[in-house]
Amino acid sequence: MNFEELFRDFWWLMFPIFGMAMAFTGMSQSERRAKTMIDLLKTYTDQGKEPPPELLRMAAQSLDDGVNAPATRQQSNAWSFVVFAALSAGFTVGWWFIRDEGYAFAFLIVAVTMGVLAVGALLILLLGGKK
Amino acid sequence: MTEELFRDFWWLIFPVFGMVMAIFGMIQNGAREDAILRDARERLERGQ
């Protein structure tokens, strides 16, 4: 099997591998930065000094990631729905055009996954937004 | 062979571009946050 055949059979693997690599890198980097940030804030507090505003802004931003305002959260859910629905539609169209090819299943799997995520985002938007 | 491969997979340019931009964005964001942390540490060491 030469490179071209290998690429033709497994090109779709680049997406999950990229996703995994990005998730792993992002997670490890953000963990390291959060630890450093907390250490710095603690040192400033222990010494009775005012932490730099950029550092406080960064800390507030990382806290906001978990506790968004309701309006922002709803917008975020709505945007998730739009993105997943668009991806699902795109991959469905892609699958339709290449449905006779051997690798068409990859498009269908992604389209169905994105469709389920879109429905989930829509349900959260409709049912989970009133608190 | 190469031309045929390109004809079949030209559309991969778009997701690959997206991936490159995502990596670029992550690096830039990381560098900005690292600079803030470095600056805060330097201020602390200078006793400010």
Side-chain angles (χ1 to χ4, degrees):
Chain A
M1 181 180 270
N2 62 16
F3 175 76
E4 187 183 338
E5 285 169 351
L6 196 72
F7 182 79
R8 281 184 185 281
D9 287 347
F10 296 106
W11 62 267
W12 53 271
L13 264 180
M14 75 169 76
F15 298 110
I17 287 172
F18 174 78
M20 284 190 274
M22 287 292 280
F24 180 75
T25 313
M27 209 166 59
S28 64
Q29 282 192 348
S30 94
E31 177 71 24
R32 181 180 57 80
R33 286 197 193 100
K35 213 173 276 181
T36 312
M37 187 179 66
I38 290 166
D39 283 346
L40 278 171
L41 285 172
K42 191 173 175 302
T43 314
Y44 270 102
T45 318
D46 288 347
Q47 293 184 3
K49 291 174 183 166
E50 181 76 16
E54 306 88 42
L55 190 66
L56 288 174
R57 218 172 5 248
M58 200 172 129
Q61 212 171 24
S62 63
L63 283 174
D64 274 352
D65 287 347
V67 195
N68 281 335
T72 317
R73 202 168 50 226
Q74 254 195 330
Q75 281 176 350
S76 167
N77 287 337
W79 182 240
S80 296
F81 168 69
V82 171
V83 169
F84 287 134
L87 284 169
S88 179
F91 276 97
T92 305
V93 172
W95 169 77
W96 181 257
F97 278 117
I98 53 126
R99 63 190 184 283
D100 295 330
E101 300 289 340
Y103 55 85
F105 73 95
F107 276 72
L108 194 59
I109 289 169
V110 176
V112 170
T113 307
M114 294 300 158
V116 171
L117 287 169
V119 171
L122 184 64
L123 286 176
I124 291 169
L125 178 67
L126 295 176
L127 306 174
K130 296 185 178 79
K131 281 189 181 172
Chain B
M1 184 182 87
T2 312
E3 190 189 327
E4 201 183 332
L5 196 69
F6 182 78
R7 278 182 190 281
D8 289 344
F9 292 102
W10 62 267
W11 53 270
L12 269 179
I13 289 169
F14 300 108
V16 168
F17 176 74
M19 288 179 188
V20 171
M21 290 303 284
I23 292 170
F24 189 65
M26 196 172 74
I27 290 169
Q28 272 200 326
N29 192 40
R32 188 179 55 81
E33 290 189 346
D34 280 342
I36 291 171
L37 293 172
R38 197 170 46 243
D39 183 54
R41 197 193 307 271
E42 281 170 6
R43 278 193 203 185
L44 204 60
E45 284 166 2
R46 283 200 305 265
Q48 286 181 340

